[in-house]
Amino acid sequence: QRWASGFFNSERVKEPESLGSQELFHWLSDVLQLSEEDIDSLLPCRDLPQAAMSERIYGRFVEFRAMRHHLQLEGDADLGRRKEMMRRYLTWFLNLRRDSTESYVSYLDKVGAAHHRGSNDVPCIQLLAGLGVTQDVILRSLCRQVHEKEKLCRTICSLSKLMWIQAVFFARHSLLGRGRSRPLWRGLA
């Protein structure tokens, strides 16, 4: 059963790159077959230790010079602030509910745009690597907490769909931030 589509006709979309944020989310939801069951399968994520996961994520980020450079950390207080931002992001990201798509998509857009403001223009490769680190930490925490194999599989599949949606929003803002209006892959041909 499709979830977020409503009256949006995803099959007729020729250039998803030109869609607004809400429409892009609906299109991606259709392509990835994000369903109400997927949203319900995220329930075990709500009990994950977000503060501890944030610590692990930032611990991995600061290991790499390129990531440290774009984090622009100025001391322990700044690192603490960033970890708290990550904890809030995890709380938000892991709490999608069936009736909250507008605010969810708005936050996806906000997170994507925040990494391309002013002097803080984080390269897409680093954003996606950071998203990969984030997914790894979430999945490891999830595997320690959920012992029923079927439930774990459903939750991982659902979470993966949301991670890919976030990745597309990161890529979209990366292209928009560089003044590109055409799809990236057309520039690679």
Side-chain angles (χ1 to χ4, degrees):
Q1 176 182 3
R2 290 188 178 177
W3 171 55
S5 296
F7 294 104
F8 187 71
N9 192 346
S10 297
E11 294 84 15
R12 300 191 83 139
V13 172
K14 289 184 181 179
E15 291 192 22
E17 303 78 19
S18 64
L19 296 173
S21 299
Q22 293 291 329
E23 292 84 9
L24 179 60
F25 178 80
H26 292 303
W27 184 81
L28 289 166
S29 295
D30 276 355
V31 169
L32 297 172
Q33 296 181 339
L34 183 65
S35 67
E36 290 182 343
E37 290 78 23
D38 286 316
I39 302 311
D40 294 342
S41 294
L42 294 170
L43 186 61
C45 294
R46 295 184 186 130
D47 295 328
L48 294 176
Q50 281 105 1
M53 291 189 312
S54 177
E55 288 282 334
R56 285 194 290 279
I57 291 166
Y58 264 85
R60 300 240 324 254
F61 285 177
V62 298
E63 288 178 32
F64 300 95
R65 181 176 169 203
M67 290 180 142
R68 276 194 316 270
H69 169 74
H70 284 286
L71 289 172
Q72 301 174 350
L73 299 172
E74 297 177 15
D76 291 339
D78 204 21
L79 180 59
R81 185 180 61 80
R82 291 297 185 99
K83 288 177 183 178
E84 176 58 22
M85 287 171 61
M86 176 59 76
R87 188 200 59 74
R88 286 193 312 256
Y89 171 79
L90 291 170
T91 299
W92 163 82
F93 188 78
L94 300 171
N95 278 288
L96 175 61
R97 301 200 193 302
R98 290 182 186 202
D99 61 349
S100 63
T101 59
E102 276 192 39
S103 62
Y104 195 81
V105 173
S106 175
Y107 196 79
L108 281 173
D109 226 14
K110 178 181 166 185
V111 169
H115 291 86
H116 299 288
R117 276 195 204 118
S119 65
N120 191 30
D121 189 15
V122 182
C124 192
I125 289 173
Q126 290 181 43
L127 286 173
L128 296 177
L131 193 60
V133 167
T134 302
Q135 182 174 12
D136 180 62
V137 169
I138 293 170
L139 292 178
R140 289 177 186 279
S141 296
L142 194 60
C143 289
R144 282 191 292 274
Q145 183 169 312
V146 178
H147 302 289
E148 182 187 326
K149 185 179 178 182
E150 180 75 24
K151 182 187 234 181
L152 180 62
C153 287
R154 283 192 312 270
T155 303
I156 287 172
C157 289
S158 301
L159 184 63
S160 295
K161 292 175 186 183
L162 292 181
M163 285 291 184
W164 275 105
I165 290 171
Q166 179 68 78
V168 169
F169 274 79
F170 276 154
R172 177 180 194 224
H173 280 283
S174 182
L175 294 173
L176 292 173
R178 287 170 173 69
R180 297 182 65 144
S181 59
R182 62 183 193 180
L184 175 63
W185 50 89
R186 285 191 187 157
L188 296 175

